[in-house]
Amino acid sequence: MGVSHIFCADHVLQLTAKKAYLDSWFNAATNEVTLDNAEMLVLDEVQDLDTMKKARRLVEHFSKSNQQLAKLIEQQKNMDTYNGKQAVGVVIDVVTRWWSTYSMCERLIYLQAALAAMAVDGKLAESIVLNETDWKVIMQVHELLKPFKDAQKLLEGEKYVTLSLLPSAIKAIRNALIQISEAQGEGEAQKRVKNLAKRLLHDFCERWKPDDASQYLEGDEVTRGRLNRQVGLHPLAAFASALDPRTKLLKAYSKVDRKKIWAGLQQKAMDHCLLPGGAVELEEQEVANNPNQEEGAPELEPGSKASDLQDFFDLGQESEEDEADEGTLGKEQDAVASIERQIEGEISKYQTLSYLKITSDPLLWWKQKQFQFPILSCLAQKYLCIPATEAPSERIFSTASLLLSKFRNRMDPDLAGRMIFIKKNFEWYEEFLQKASEEE
């Protein structure tokens, strides 16, 4: 089809987000932090990793012992802080599980009061007790990773258009990383998190380009970086954003890029119209089928005086065969010019319309406007898409981990497969039964 592969954006974002996972930096065998010069960014401290390592030890203390987990549950039930709330356990972060470090921090923050009470009562070993600075670091790491989690959750959707939302998501993450890495303040916790933010920003810009670089690539080819990975936004994401009434302001792009995107979209519309069966061909056929549409008057009958005068006048002109090629070329040029004017008119009118809320359905909007924007609506069907993502397969692994635990590890593989299938398709089955009952 001539379209470069669109990588799973969620996976590429995870490659950066997992830098917050201690094992990505810490070599347990040598007890050293394994960072190259570029990743270190002349930073002298990596104490933020010590905090995450301590937090992970605390989580493992409860996750590997049912007795300790029971104590944590009981502690919550006996505290007014959790009155009316369900007692919960800890969340383990895994380097391959999306936003798991964020979830671990979020759960620890929720359990802070219970953990503090257990520490005071001597129910926790001193080596895993988090001090005030550690808690501040965890809270700020949680804030640092939130844009990644929000973007990944947004882009893993399977029932709504996501490609057009990608540029805005990338812009939001980049801005958040820049803001935190340049934040004022000299507190110990803030200093550690700023160091981490700078490392994440460095890796993020390598994958998605710096903020001051052009985010739009003219043409359909993409830039390749390490391991042949895509660098920056895919060109089709720009066209999708322009054709999405929710994001057509193109705020994720610079003013220069915006002009290039609209010019590129106009060319894409013209290319679409030049396809066999496109608008240009239909326009030419209409001209051929209605040769008198421009004259505005019927042809004269043969034998009339005016007709005879025309016959005389034609003696001094070129034959119809000689004019055939020129006439055809003129009609083609007229048809192309007409379509160009129509495209420009559609784009101008589309730009003046109000943009939609983020919760609106752009495909439904274009369906309602297809007669008002016949050309742009065709492009919208082409570019407003849901790129393939690894999220569904990741969810299956998560579902399998809930089904096959250490207490249920001898289940027949075929039975486990059927149970996972039912779990993932039960919602669809319920909708099917409801429609069937309504039809009856």
Side-chain angles (χ1 to χ4, degrees), residues 299-311:
E299 287 186 294
L300 296 171
E301 292 293 331
S304 65
K305 291 182 179 180
S307 181
D308 293 339
L309 181 61
Q310 183 64 45
D311 292 338

Side-chain angles (χ1 to χ4, degrees), residues 242-243 248-249 262-263 265-266 269 339-354 365-366 372-373 375-376:
L243 289 167
K248 65 177 182 177
L249 297 180
W262 286 115
L265 184 62
Q266 185 172 344
I339 295 301
E340 286 180 345
R341 289 193 296 271
Q342 183 178 347
I343 293 172
E344 292 175 0
E346 287 192 20
I347 291 178
S348 298
K349 189 173 183 179
Y350 169 65
Q351 289 175 327
T352 60
L353 297 180
S354 301
W365 187 90
W366 278 110
Q372 187 176 357
F373 303 101
I375 298 177
L376 290 184

